[in-house]
Amino acid sequence: MKKILVPIDFSEHSEYALQVASQIAREHHAGIVVLHMLGVSESVMAKSEEEEIQEANYYMKLAKKKIKNFLEKEYLRNIPIEGIIQNYKIFSEVNQVAQENDCGLVVMGSHGTSGLSRFFVGSNTEKVIRTSEVPVLVIKRPHESFKVQKMAFACDLELEYASVYHKVAAFAELFSAKLEVFYVNILGANYMGYSDIEKRIKDFNGAIGEEVPIRIYNYHSVERGIFNFCFEQGVDLLAITTHGRKGIAHFLAGSTAENVSNHAKLPVLTIKL
């Protein structure tokens, strides 16, 4: 990993992301690219050309000053940092910046507090996740020491997830973490029997080209099952797959979007299918 992209809006949550990114960058000798989306309003753009230039320059200078102050952190000392300010209005541009700057990871703060679905849906974080070809690490609280000893990958055993598994495994290796792969078997009408699950596990292992132990966790909803499993297993980082423009809601279709207080602040790594 050469560089890590951190979108910032100068909030405490973007500072949480920057703090974690600094620890990862220092550990792996990587640089950090800080992105601020200026978002000059349409009212500015509707003014005369001269007024537009003057006002845009004013906001640009203000943003540069705020970034300079924002980056005056002891934990960033000796880490190569680049600052980018753009007048972006759509969040797919974050992916473009990541690609252009050869960033292998996006680290982003989120203020969501009500489980996985509320964690993402409707937020700027979710908008970035839906369009990012680069894995996105979502951080919700400060981490003075970001250590990942155990990762968990929530997988629905579809064969298309095979490519995602290898990316997750690479991140587990990057963090020197033990990786647990698990499937939430929903109790009720959609419950799968032992033989059906065994076949899906066999087919999935065939698709990824290795025998990976996959744990089955029986629960009445996907979301609570994911968080309960992470809590019981002492997981430090949860990895899940997103489906592009379908968003995180597709992953959670049919689940109960309930808050799991024990893991409301669990870091989540999202990787696009």
Side-chain angles (χ1 to χ4, degrees), residues 18-236:
L18 185 61
Q19 183 183 38
V20 168
S22 71
Q23 295 179 52
I24 298 173
R26 195 178 300 280
E27 180 73 21
H28 300 285
H29 308 289
I32 293 177
V33 178
V34 174
L35 170 66
H36 177 61
M37 298 171 68
L38 193 59
V40 175
S41 68
E42 293 291 343
S43 62
V44 172
M45 308 306 285
K47 296 181 179 182
S48 68
E49 184 177 349
E50 184 177 350
E51 289 177 314
E52 179 183 315
I53 292 173
Q54 289 178 349
E55 198 154 352
N57 284 338
Y58 167 78
Y59 285 118
M60 182 66 74
K61 289 179 181 178
L62 185 63
K64 286 181 178 179
K65 183 177 180 180
K66 290 182 74 173
I67 283 182
K68 183 177 183 296
N69 293 335
F70 193 77
L71 296 180
E72 290 181 347
K73 306 287 192 300
E74 182 63 29
Y75 58 73
L76 294 174
R77 185 184 295 274
N78 299 324
I79 296 175
I81 298 179
E82 304 169 48
I84 297 177
I85 303 172
Q86 298 286 3
N87 183 30
Y88 291 145
K89 298 177 184 177
I90 54 175
F91 286 86
S92 60
E93 301 290 358
V94 173
N95 178 61
Q96 181 181 332
V97 172
Q99 301 278 9
E100 289 175 351
N101 289 272
D102 197 22
C103 297
L105 178 67
V106 176
V107 182
M108 193 166 182
S110 172
H111 62 273
T113 57
S114 300
L116 268 180
S117 57
R118 294 293 293 277
F119 186 103
F120 295 116
V121 175
S123 68
N124 292 338
T125 306
E126 189 247 357
K127 294 170 187 176
V128 171
I129 288 169
R130 278 193 292 175
T131 54
S132 180
E133 302 292 335
V134 177
V136 179
L137 175 60
V138 182
I139 302 296
K140 298 174 64 180
R141 65 176 181 85
H143 292 264
E144 292 186 5
S145 179
F146 186 73
K147 301 293 183 183
V148 182
Q149 295 181 317
K150 182 179 285 190
M151 278 182 63
F153 176 38
C155 178
D156 70 359
L157 301 179
E158 294 291 341
L159 299 185
E160 60 183 351
Y161 278 65
S163 61
V164 177
Y165 164 78
H166 290 295
K167 293 178 182 179
V168 173
F171 269 94
E173 185 175 350
L174 182 71
F175 292 124
S176 300
K178 178 182 178 182
L179 178 61
E180 294 270 9
V181 182
F182 71 104
Y183 170 79
V184 178
N185 195 18
I186 306 174
L187 301 175
N190 295 320
Y191 181 79
M192 282 203 303
Y194 178 80
S195 59
D196 291 330
I197 288 182
E198 284 293 299
K199 183 180 185 307
R200 289 186 67 172
I201 290 176
K202 181 178 179 181
D203 292 343
F204 185 77
N205 278 330
I208 64 177
E210 58 180 292
E211 291 294 318
V212 175
I214 299 175
R215 304 184 64 170
I216 307 303
Y217 191 78
N218 298 316
Y219 212 79
H220 60 79
S221 74
V222 173
E223 183 171 359
R224 290 197 61 138
I226 289 173
F227 278 126
N228 281 9
F229 178 88
C230 290
F231 173 67
E232 292 174 6
Q233 299 301 317
V235 170
D236 302 305

